[in-house]
Amino acid sequence: MNLELSEEQEAVRRLAEDFVAREVAPHAVAWDRAEEVDRAIVKKLGAVGFLGLTVPEEYGGSGGDHLAYCLVTEELGRGDSSVRGIVSVSLGLVAKTVAAWGTEEQKREWLPRLASGEALGCFGLTEPGTGSDAGNLVTRAVRDGDDYRISGTKMFITNGTWAEVVLLFARTNDTPGHKGVSAFLVPTDTPGLTRRAIHGKLGLRGQATAELVLEDVRVPAAAMLGPEGKGFSIAMSALAKGRMSVAAGCVGIAQAALDAAVRYAGEREQFGRPIASYQLVQELISDIAVDVDAARLLTWRVADLIDRGLDFATAASKAKLYASEAAVRAANNALQVFGGYGYIDEYPVGKLLRDARVMTLYEGTSQIQKLIIGRALTGVSAF
Ligand SMILES: Cc1cc2nc3c(=O)[nH]c(=O)nc-3n(C[C@H](O)[C@H](O)[C@H](O)COP(=O)(O)OP(=O)(O)OC[C@H]3O[C@@H](n4cnc5c(N)ncnc54)[C@H](O)[C@@H]3O)c2cc1C
């Protein structure tokens, strides 16, 4: 793997850096306090091509490889994880899955709109009773002539109140476990679908997280994505790639923590000297720096494997596991460097820690990543 960025990749990285400096960073604290990112950011992300990365240009995408996608995701995560999550879900979990599994008609209907930001996607897998155990979801889709009628509840859905389409997973037959699950593309304005915003999150406060309730929601059979009964495999393939983008976002958080800690340690004086001159403060900073490098290298390796068409799922779990735990450690170490000032939101590190905390929980908790890695190594499934 070549660790030197190509001219194209470096240009995309710089574009993302400029975008974040102009459109994201100046508003991040206000959006966090208001518990709402300005929705205008979606169109801006689309206009600059970030919602169509890796999607073929014939469907309105902006092309690019997965390393370029990681670079953009890292920069967005450095600026505001709430904005990064909009892209990771609408592009990473929904548009990429439509591109991989959709019929020609589904791709023509959704990809140009998702890539431009005219429409946003959300990913409806988790339910109140099934999080880690997603294969046992209970939302039902019952065939009725040329349609399916879907009923159930989806929990913690990122982009939920904003999205125009939900990639929804529902049980289409009575086979227990994941074999009875199918995937559907459901427009969120379909009668019977209601959304409730979830407030009071510890972090990612600017992000639109929602509960979706479906009561006899009728969709045509053509709304099914991929073959009947393959929904769980589709969800898992989406999440495997999604884990790379969560990991890249975590690298962004850790990098932001490092930048803030180094800057503050040089400015803040105690006992007549900058705190950067104390070895115990340098230890905190060097621990963050090692975490940044290690998390980034694990993440780039996933992008490299995907771009070379190789198996990447276990590498993605390793990257997500390490980078999410590293982001929490890095933000916590940075907060320590800031002392009491780190505890108030005029300084950036408290938000970094709050935003980082969910990364070890969603798209598979750290425990679930360990079980996936353990299964790959031993050949024995623990769940
Ligand atoms: C802000 C936010 C955004 C989210 N966005 C989305 C989204 O867009 N779409 C979506 O579908 N979901 C989303 N989720 C849901 C998320 O993926 C789940 O919360 C996650 O999968 C964990 O499920 P759970 O919360 O039900 O926890 P549980 O599965 O109940 O887990 C509780 C604890 O038990 C542990 N545990 C469970 N099973 C095992 C086991 N076999 N071995 C060892 N330990 C185990 C877990 O690691 C965890 O520590 C989001 C969640 C949050 C908080």
Side-chain angles (χ1 to χ4, degrees):
M1 177 186 176
N2 184 1
L3 294 179
E4 206 174 316
L5 299 182
S6 68
E7 266 179 40
E8 250 180 36
Q9 289 161 341
E10 182 51 33
V12 172
R13 196 201 60 74
R14 255 200 321 274
L15 183 68
E17 188 180 25
D18 291 349
F19 181 88
V20 167
R22 223 181 33 253
E23 304 288 356
V24 178
H27 311 291
V29 170
W31 290 340
D32 185 60
R33 286 178 181 163
E35 283 199 50
E36 187 163 35
V37 167
D38 180 356
R39 216 201 140 139
I41 197 75
V42 175
K43 282 270 169 62
K44 292 177 186 175
L45 287 163
V48 78
F50 294 165
L51 286 167
L53 281 164
T54 75
V55 172
E57 288 170 25
E58 60 173 310
Y59 298 112
S62 30
D65 58 17
H66 284 81
L67 187 51
Y69 175 48
C70 279
L71 296 169
V72 169
T73 312
E74 178 183 329
E75 289 300 328
L76 294 174
R78 201 169 57 78
D80 188 349
S81 292
S82 289
V83 175
R84 193 275 304 162
I86 295 171
V87 177
S88 286
V89 172
S90 191
L91 166 60
L93 294 183
V94 181
K96 280 151 109 36
T97 310
V98 174
W101 293 88
T103 60
E104 189 57 26
E105 202 182 344
Q106 287 169 331
K107 290 191 222 178
R108 297 247 167 253
E109 181 178 2
W110 289 112
L111 290 180
R113 296 175 62 198
L114 291 169
S116 66
E118 184 196 325
L120 207 58
C122 66
F123 186 82
L125 179 65
T126 302
E127 298 183 356
T130 54
S132 301
D133 188 15
N136 276 315
L137 58 84
V138 296
T139 293
R140 292 212 58 109
V142 178
R143 185 80 192 229
D144 182 4
D146 290 339
D147 297 338
Y148 278 94
R149 293 193 341 256
I150 309 177
S151 295
T153 302
K154 295 292 173 179
M155 193 63 182
F156 295 137
I157 306 305
T158 302
N159 294 343
T161 47
W162 283 10
E164 277 72 24
V165 62
V166 51
L167 172 51
L168 186 98
F169 299 90
R171 188 164 295 286
T172 43
N173 67 53
D174 288 330
T175 315
H178 60 83
K179 287 194 178 130
V181 175
S182 301
F184 294 88
L185 289 166
V186 182
T188 51
D189 60 2
T190 311
L193 196 162
T194 51
R195 310 185 259 185
R196 181 182 68 83
I198 297 172
H199 291 292
K201 298 197 296 289
L202 176 67
L204 300 187
R205 297 175 77 95
Q207 206 163 74
T209 310
E211 181 184 34
L212 309 186
V213 178
L214 296 95
E215 289 171 308
D216 221 14
V217 171
R218 190 175 277 274
V219 292
M224 186 180 281
L225 184 76
E228 185 180 351
K230 279 276 170 221
F232 193 70
S233 308
I234 293 172
M236 292 306 110
S237 71
L239 289 172
K241 276 192 190 160
R243 284 170 189 144
M244 179 192 71
S245 97
V246 174
C250 289
V251 176
I253 293 175
Q255 181 68 58
L258 179 62
D259 296 344
V262 169
R263 200 167 44 244
Y264 188 79
E267 290 164 1
R268 175 71 172 170
E269 291 194 1
Q270 288 294 284
F271 303 98
R273 281 157 48 186
I275 59 170
S277 66
Y278 299 115
Q279 289 170 338
L280 294 178
V281 173
Q282 289 193 10
E283 181 187 47
L284 290 167
I285 289 173
S286 66
D287 283 353
I288 303 173
V290 174
D291 267 339
V292 170
D293 282 358
R296 185 178 284 128
L297 287 170
L298 283 170
T299 305
W300 284 16
R301 182 175 65 155
V302 184
D304 179 61
L305 290 170
I306 297 177
D307 286 333
R308 288 192 292 134
L310 300 173
D311 186 19
F312 63 89
T314 310
S317 282
K318 289 179 185 169
K320 196 270 181 182
L321 170 64
Y322 187 86
S324 60
E325 298 283 348
V328 175
R329 265 194 314 269
N332 200 36
N333 281 336
L335 197 149
Q336 195 68 20
V337 171
F338 272 72
Y341 294 94
Y343 202 65
I344 53 173
D345 75 355
E346 275 167 48
Y347 293 85
V349 287
K351 176 176 183 303
L352 291 175
L353 181 57
R354 288 187 288 106
D355 287 349
R357 195 59 193 81
V358 77
M359 309 296 165
T360 72
L361 302 174
Y362 68 14
E363 300 209 17
T365 64
S366 289
Q367 287 72 30
I368 295 299
Q369 304 310 328
K370 287 178 187 175
L371 297 184
I372 293 171
I373 297 162
R375 182 180 59 192
L377 291 169
T378 64
V380 184
S381 179
F383 59 105

